[in-house]
Structures are given as C-alpha cells and as structure tokens.
Amino acid sequence: MTSEQLMLVAMLGVSSYMLIESFSFSHEAGIFPRFAAAVAVCGCILLLVRAYLPEPIRQVVTESAGMFDQYDEEFQGSDDDTKSSEGEVTEDEDTGAIEGTDRGTVEDGDSDAVENADIDSSKQAILVGLLAGYGLVGYVIGLVWATPLFILAFAKAFGLPRLMTLVIVVIGLVAAFAFNSILPVNMTDGVIF
C-alpha cells in the first residue's frame, strides 16, 4: 500500500467518524460539518477506487496535478540555472527527450526520472507522517498549540527559509485562534492540557 493510499484510508476513517458524529449536533450546527465530511468521504472513495472507474470519470478524478508539483516548480528555477551553466538543456516536444550540449540525450524514464520519483514518494511519506503527528499532538495538547509545532516541523523537513517559516507560523496561529473563536469547540484544550 502506498503512502497516498494510507493517507486516503486514514482520511476516510476520520471523515466517516465526523459524518456520523455530526448527526449528534443540532440541525443548524451540523450542516457544515455534515457537508464537509460527506464531500471528504466521497472524494476519498473516488480516489481509492479510481482504477475501477469508467474512463471519462477516471479522467475527471485523476486529472489534477500531483501534491508537490507546485512546490517543485517554485524551486525548479535554481536547478535550471545550475543545469544551464553546465550546458544548454532543451526538451524535444515530439519525443520527450532532453538534449544538452554537454550531456547528450536523456530519454524519459532514465535515472533522473527514477530519482525524482523516489524524492516525490519520500516527500509524500514525510507529509503523511507530519499530518499524523499533527493530529496526535493536537489531540494531546490542543490543535491551536500543535499548529506552530507542525509548521516548524514541516519547514524543517522541506527546507523552508527561516523568515518564511516565521511568517507562516504567525499566519497559522492567527488562523488557529480565529477558528477557535468561531467554532463552538475549544481547540486550545487537549487530553493533557
């Protein structure tokens, strides 16, 4: 089972539990949690069974980009600058081959593609572990206090700059306190604190 499938199964379990528990709320208070949980359950089920879906539905379900594509594209510029200093690198649109003046031709599926797939799967495994840790620590000490710890761990794991990390921690705390004041549940309390 891949890390993506593990995360989907975990999300399906949590959202199913939330859907069932939302029926214990009053009608007005339960509308949003019930809707959000139902959407999450449907989405998880679609992603888990996408290989068995008819082709048109499968294309709609799997059409979106990968989890780390945007993150990789933002930091791709520094890699491209390094490669261009070694020699000009171009991609042939017809064959998908990458041609460079110093390195020759590299076909798709070569060692670079395998290395990128390994990096992507390790990033996914790290993210799944961090999310599981966030849920566990949030249960123990409260989600508001677990939020900056999660952001710091994420920033350390993915090498974010310190200033960006500080800004994200502040935004995360503001968002956590905003949710705490809006929702009828005290998210500052955990099992221990």
Side-chain angles (χ1 to χ4, degrees):
M1 184 173 262
T2 67
S3 60
E4 180 185 7
Q5 291 170 329
L6 275 173
M7 187 171 72
L8 286 171
V9 168
M11 287 177 62
L12 180 61
V14 169
S15 56
S16 298
Y17 172 75
M18 292 300 180
L19 181 61
I20 292 167
E21 284 297 312
S22 71
F23 288 100
S24 66
F25 300 157
S26 69
H27 178 71
E28 292 81 17
I31 290 174
F32 177 74
R34 204 169 299 134
F35 174 73
V39 168
V41 165
C42 292
C44 289
I45 290 171
L46 280 173
L47 288 171
L48 284 170
V49 300
R50 65 181 162 223
Y52 306 107
L53 295 173
E55 186 61 33
I57 297 173
R58 185 176 348 156
Q59 284 180 346
V60 170
V61 170
T62 60
E63 188 174 285
S64 66
M67 195 180 322
F68 295 102
D69 287 348
Q70 181 181 2
Y71 177 79
D72 289 339
E73 288 172 5
E74 289 176 10
F75 296 102
Q76 186 95 14
S78 62
D79 290 344
D80 290 344
D81 294 342
T82 305
K83 287 179 183 178
S84 64
S85 67
E86 294 173 2
E88 185 178 330
V89 178
T90 59
E91 182 174 348
D92 185 4
E93 292 179 6
D94 295 333
T95 63
I98 299 172
E99 298 176 359
T101 55
D102 293 340
R103 295 175 23 181
T105 301
V106 178
E107 296 293 328
D108 285 342
D110 208 4
S111 64
D112 288 341
V114 171
E115 183 179 319
N116 287 340
D118 290 342
I119 290 170
D120 193 43
S121 64
S122 69
K123 286 180 183 178
Q124 288 179 356
I126 290 169
L127 184 61
V128 168
L130 286 172
L131 289 172
Y134 178 58
L136 181 64
V137 171
Y139 177 73
V140 172
I141 66 172
L143 285 172
V144 170
W145 310 120
T147 298
L149 297 176
F150 169 75
I151 293 170
L152 289 172
F154 180 87
K156 180 77 172 168
F158 289 95
L160 295 179
R162 287 184 182 171
L163 180 60
M164 182 186 293
T165 302
L166 180 63
V167 169
I168 296 172
V169 165
V170 170
I171 291 170
L173 276 172
V174 168
F177 279 114
F179 275 111
N180 190 48
S181 66
I182 293 170
L183 296 176
V185 178
N186 188 359
M187 296 184 346
T188 58
D189 293 341
V191 174
I192 294 178
F193 297 120

